[in-house]
Amino acid sequence: ISISIIQVRLVMKAHSFVRENVPKVLSSVKEKAGPVPIPRITQYLYFLFAPTLIYRDNYPRNPTIRWGYVATKFAQVLGSLFYAYYIFVRLCIPQFRNSSQETFNLRGLVLCIFNSILPGVLILFLVFFAFLHCWLNAFAEMLRFADRMFYK
């Protein structure tokens, strides 16, 4: 599943890159106005790692990297993962471990599923917090990416 997610992200970034640059190149070729404005490889590589899906030749940049902020965000990612693991081990696994020793009945399965809904939603929130808030903000800080509205 994670490989599919990465591929979708890369396809979306490639589409944005092509969509932003093809009209510039075609208008420059049509007007024959000097050199064709082809983006540099460094601009494309920065775009691949920046937490945005919209290509621009230049992004707002911070002057420095706050390494304490980066360490805090990575610590929050680790804390979220450990907390999600704890919830999974304490609340989800025991429900299904008990049901595997009994004979199959629909009532037991439905009870296991309903007892796992709340911990599952909590784990989902933790994963979203760890990735969307902590992980993307850490990489945005390391890339000195100043536009932190990438959620929108």
Side-chain angles (χ1 to χ4, degrees), residues 95 106-116:
Q95 294 293 325
L106 188 60
R107 181 180 179 272
L109 179 66
V110 170
L111 283 175
C112 282
I113 290 172
F114 277 115
N115 286 335
S116 297

Side-chain angles (χ1 to χ4, degrees), residues 55 60 84 87-88 90:
Y55 177 79
I87 290 170
F88 190 73
R90 290 291 183 178

Side-chain angles (χ1 to χ4, degrees), residues 51 129 131-134 136-137 148-152:
F129 170 75
F131 178 70
L132 290 177
H133 180 69
C134 301
L136 290 180
N137 269 311
R148 296 298 172 88
M149 299 305 286
F150 46 78
Y151 295 123
K152 292 183 179 182

Side-chain angles (χ1 to χ4, degrees), residues 3-55:
I3 293 173
S4 300
I5 292 170
I6 292 170
Q7 288 177 336
V8 167
R9 181 183 66 91
L10 289 175
V11 166
M12 291 170 70
K13 283 189 176 249
H15 174 74
S16 177
F17 179 77
V18 169
R19 179 116 175 152
E20 288 290 324
N21 287 305
V22 167
K24 290 184 215 174
V25 171
L26 291 178
S27 67
S28 175
V29 168
K30 184 186 270 186
E31 296 171 6
K32 297 179 184 175
V36 179
I38 298 174
R40 296 185 316 262
I41 256 321
T42 56
Q43 291 172 321
Y44 182 68
L45 286 175
Y46 183 83
F47 169 63
L48 283 181
F49 292 101
T52 183
L53 292 175
I54 300 170
Y55 177 79

Side-chain angles (χ1 to χ4, degrees), residues 35-100:
V36 179
I38 298 174
R40 296 185 316 262
I41 256 321
T42 56
Q43 291 172 321
Y44 182 68
L45 286 175
Y46 183 83
F47 169 63
L48 283 181
F49 292 101
T52 183
L53 292 175
I54 300 170
Y55 177 79
R56 298 286 180 254
D57 289 333
N58 295 312
Y59 294 97
R61 307 279 300 266
N62 289 331
T64 59
I65 299 173
R66 300 174 294 171
W67 290 107
Y69 182 80
V70 172
T72 302
K73 292 300 171 192
F74 281 134
Q76 288 176 350
V77 168
L78 286 175
S80 297
L81 292 176
F82 282 126
Y83 189 46
Y85 172 77
Y86 177 78
I87 290 170
F88 190 73
V89 167
R90 290 291 183 178
L91 298 175
C92 293
I93 290 177
Q95 294 293 325
F96 290 97
R97 185 174 292 144
N98 294 338
S99 67
S100 67

